[in-house]
Amino acid sequence: MTNFIYNPKSPVADEFICHAEIVESIKFAEEHKNDKELLAQILSKAKEEKGLSHREALILLINDMPEINRQIEDLAKQIKLDFYGNRVVLFAPLYLSNYCVNGCTYCPYHAINKNMPRKKMTQDEIRDEVVALQDMGHKRLALELGEHPQMNPLEYVLESINTIYDIKHKNGSIRRVNVNIAATDEASYSKLKDAGIGTYILFQETYNRERYEKLHPTGPKHDYNRQTEAMDRAMRGGIDDVGIGVLFGLSTYLYEFTALLMHVEHLKAVFNVGPHTISVPRLRPADGINPALFADCISDDIFVKIVACLRIAVPTAGMIISTRESKETRERVLQLGISQISGGSKTSVGGYSHPQEEDKDSAQFDVCDNRTLDEIVYWLLKNGHIPSFCTACYRKHRTGEQFMKLCANKSIHHFCHPNALLSLQEYLTDYASEATKALGEKIIAQEVAKLPEQSAKFVTQHLQDIKDGKGRDFYL
Ligand code: SAM
């Protein structure tokens, strides 16, 4: 590998995700492992809640002193509360098509997997899926597709987004569609922006070029530069909320953690705004995937520590965890900084409208948390979180830099908390079981009592409107 100089402002993948800097940072962190003085300095900077550099965060991650780890956890909890409160936003993935031309060795959708039944939904089938999702109570989706220029062209994605936003079934509506499709060009990103998407999500999978090229032997995704520079094209194309992530388990976690933070530094340096979200997916067993791939998988304890250190390093980014993780792991990381989770998810094409026919073989990977959305809402409430179905920010143009400013000065709560309570009441009135409704309404009353007078008035009025059937979708 050629030695590049680390330059967060550079548009060149190997300069902003600089291999030499990553190796050097890991070496430095290992040499300074458990250096009490350095850790004290880093923790004191972290307490200012303005974030940390990749090296500083790595030094925290690598330490193994129980007392320091306790401080890291306490600080992560505090930062989560200060920036994102006790709210947890809910969403569901929607798989439109599993046709794919790529050869990602860890993903059963890869082109040469002949066991995988291929399916692409028609617009009518998408309608059925969305009705099923609305009947569960979902308001926010993440679209998932394999990469296939003939079967899944951008026009198909755009048409599907339109279909999804148009469906108004009973009191339901999908109000935010995030999109997780393969890296594309600037003009296509502009079209996605014009179609009204929320966040554009793309996982790097692994930042290690050598590993990346080996794990993606064929197809357009083989191109490491195309993948790594995609968010720059997305932002230049006008998408100001981007979601990054790595698939933990594909390479060594110290490498991925450092590089992920360098990606954050790059986006901030070039666009003055970091990622809207950071996802932390972990590799899952899936059809036909070689178990040897799991050699770099990480333990639950390391995983939890990664979440805590990311929370401290990038206080303003939302953090997402999916149903790849178990209830127990989700419980641990929710406290430490996760602000969005999926619930009631299906990872097969057509899995929501035809659960009885759901062909397990067409699922992308095994879901670990199989609970219903109602069970998840109840569990969140029981654990002191406020489940939120809010989608107001981007509809009020609080996106990109504007969102980050409000988040950084901790004033986003003034919008998010009232909106979360109102969106939760919609869920309770329209979709919840009796037990969830009773618990949710009790907690909403407690939360309203803590709001400033003006917001309390606004929320109280509209909570009643929702209960009386006078309207839906109230937000600040
Ligand atoms: N096809 C799009 C692309 O290439 O970016 C993204 C859609 S894919 C359905 C979403 C993500 O699923 C991938 O980016 C990958 O990180 C993740 N994934 C693939 N195989 C997985 C597995 N075996 N376990 C967990 N996650 C997996």
Side-chain angles (χ1 to χ4, degrees):
M1 231 176 247
T2 325
N3 255 3
F4 288 90
I5 307 277
Y6 177 45
N7 178 5
K9 282 203 160 141
S10 167
V12 177
D14 287 306
E15 291 182 359
F16 65 84
I17 304 296
C18 173
H19 176 74
E21 170 61 20
I22 298 171
V23 172
E24 196 46 47
S25 298
I26 296 174
K27 192 167 158 254
F28 181 86
E30 272 163 354
E31 282 165 4
H32 291 81
K33 184 172 174 174
N34 297 345
D35 177 333
K36 283 192 180 154
E37 205 175 311
L38 187 55
L39 283 162
Q41 273 170 25
I42 296 171
L43 278 169
S44 133
K45 178 178 171 190
K47 283 180 189 149
E48 291 169 22
E49 302 194 346
K50 292 193 169 71
L52 293 176
S53 71
H54 61 272
R55 268 198 195 201
E56 291 163 338
L58 185 60
I59 290 165
L60 289 188
L61 181 66
I62 232 168
N63 106 86
D64 60 9
M65 292 192 288
E67 169 52 22
I68 299 289
N69 286 335
R70 199 187 50 71
Q71 288 187 48
I72 290 174
E73 290 209 355
D74 288 349
L75 185 55
K77 282 181 196 165
Q78 191 57 49
I79 290 178
K80 159 71 171 71
L81 287 177
D82 289 347
F83 288 81
Y84 282 91
N86 56 352
R87 298 173 296 281
V88 176
V89 167
L90 287 152
F91 73 97
L94 173 58
Y95 283 73
L96 295 185
S97 166
N98 62 8
Y99 283 91
C100 194
V101 293
N102 286 314
C104 316
T105 45
Y106 49 86
C107 176
Y109 288 172
H110 65 73
I112 51 169
N113 185 357
K114 301 295 174 216
N115 293 331
M116 174 62 59
R118 300 290 163 173
K119 190 153 190 225
K120 170 189 173 181
M121 278 195 285
T122 62
Q123 298 305 307
D124 279 341
E125 286 170 330
I126 293 175
R127 264 179 215 105
D128 292 346
E129 284 288 272
V130 171
V131 164
L133 282 155
Q134 287 186 7
D135 278 344
M136 289 161 75
H138 276 296
K139 301 283 186 269
R140 176 189 291 244
L141 301 181
L143 294 194
E144 308 282 342
L145 290 96
E147 178 169 12
H148 199 301
Q150 282 78 41
M151 292 304 288
N152 313 330
L154 186 75
E155 293 65 38
Y156 170 69
V157 181
L158 298 173
E159 188 189 359
S160 306
I161 293 170
N162 245 329
T163 300
I164 294 167
Y165 277 134
D166 272 355
I167 299 164
K168 304 281 180 268
H169 164 71
K170 297 185 181 162
N171 284 330
S173 58
I174 298 300
R175 301 172 184 157
R176 179 172 179 134
V177 176
N178 297 332
V179 173
N180 180 192
I181 59 166
T184 183
D185 54 36
E186 204 176 306
S188 302
Y189 285 127
S190 295
K191 289 182 187 163
L192 284 169
K193 169 76 184 173
D194 294 344
I197 69 160
T199 312
Y200 171 63
I201 300 163
L202 180 71
F203 302 154
Q204 176 66 25
E205 318 301 8
T206 170
Y207 283 97
N208 184 315
R209 180 186 273 278
E210 239 177 80
R211 196 81 187 118
Y212 182 95
E213 288 170 355
K214 198 166 166 211
L215 291 167
H216 304 96
T218 53
K221 194 163 167 180
H222 176 72
D223 184 344
Y224 177 86
N225 292 348
R226 182 191 83 146
Q227 186 82 354
T228 313
E229 294 164 8
M231 290 315 192
D232 295 51
R233 294 191 299 282
M235 292 194 98
R236 285 199 303 270
I239 297 179
D240 50 3
D241 284 343
V242 297
I244 63 172
V246 289
L247 186 52
F248 280 101
L250 293 184
S251 179
T252 55
Y253 72 91
L254 294 180
Y255 196 102
E256 304 294 18
F257 177 86
T258 314
L260 187 66
L261 290 176
M262 287 163 85
H263 203 172
V264 174
E265 286 163 11
H266 167 66
L267 294 173
K268 282 189 183 159
V270 178
F271 301 101
N272 212 20
V273 57
H276 190 66
T277 53
I278 299 178
S279 295
V280 285
R282 261 199 301 188
L283 192 60
R284 296 279 307 145
D287 176 61
I289 300 307
N290 183 350
L293 253 185
F294 291 82
D296 282 323
C297 272
I298 48 175
S299 68
D300 287 349
D301 286 347
I302 295 283
F303 182 67
V304 168
K305 197 164 168 197
I306 288 173
V307 171
C309 290
L310 286 174
R311 179 68 299 152
I312 292 174
V314 200
T316 50
M319 282 182 66
I320 304 182
I321 198 151
S322 74
T323 54
R324 289 177 184 86
E325 298 299 333
S326 66
K327 170 177 175 267
E328 290 68 32
T329 307
R330 298 209 313 164
E331 219 150 83
R332 287 176 75 185
V333 291
L334 267 167
Q335 289 189 41
L336 297 174
I338 295 295
S339 57
Q340 292 190 28
I341 64 169
S342 48
S345 305
K346 302 281 181 199
T347 67
S348 54
V349 181
Y352 295 106
S353 49
H354 296 96
Q356 68 288 2
E357 289 166 32
E358 199 200 353
D359 183 353
K360 240 191 146 297
D361 294 344
S362 82
Q364 192 198 12
F365 49 80
D366 298 344
V367 162
C368 208
D369 186 343
N370 282 300
R371 289 172 296 164
T372 63
L373 184 60
D374 191 67
E375 287 167 336
I376 289 192
V377 170
Y378 186 84
W379 159 78
L380 287 173
L381 288 163
K382 269 274 176 215
N383 284 292
H385 306 287
I386 302 294
S388 171
F389 293 87
C390 178
T391 55
C393 272
Y394 96 112
R395 294 192 290 155
K396 284 281 200 176
H397 308 290
R398 292 190 293 265
T399 59
E401 226 180 312
Q402 220 215 330
F403 174 89
M404 285 305 163
K405 272 189 196 145
L406 291 168
C407 190
N409 69 24
K410 299 173 188 168
S411 62
I412 198 79
H413 296 293
H414 302 313
F415 304 103
C416 292
H417 213 59
N419 292 344
L421 298 176
L422 288 165
S423 69
L424 175 59
Q425 184 62 56
E426 275 194 50
Y427 175 82
L428 298 176
T429 304
D430 292 335
Y431 309 104
S433 63
E434 281 310 312
T436 305
K437 190 172 177 197
L439 179 60
E441 290 190 344
K442 188 172 136 205
I443 290 175
I444 289 178
Q446 289 164 5
E447 293 291 319
V448 173
K450 294 184 219 157
L451 289 174
E453 202 183 329
Q454 273 298 93
S455 324
K457 212 170 141 207
F458 176 84
V459 173
T460 307
Q461 171 66 54
H462 291 308
L463 285 172
Q464 199 54 48
D465 289 341
I466 294 168
K467 289 181 194 170
D468 295 344
K470 288 191 183 152
R472 295 285 181 276
D473 203 14
F474 299 106
Y475 56 89
L476 290 167

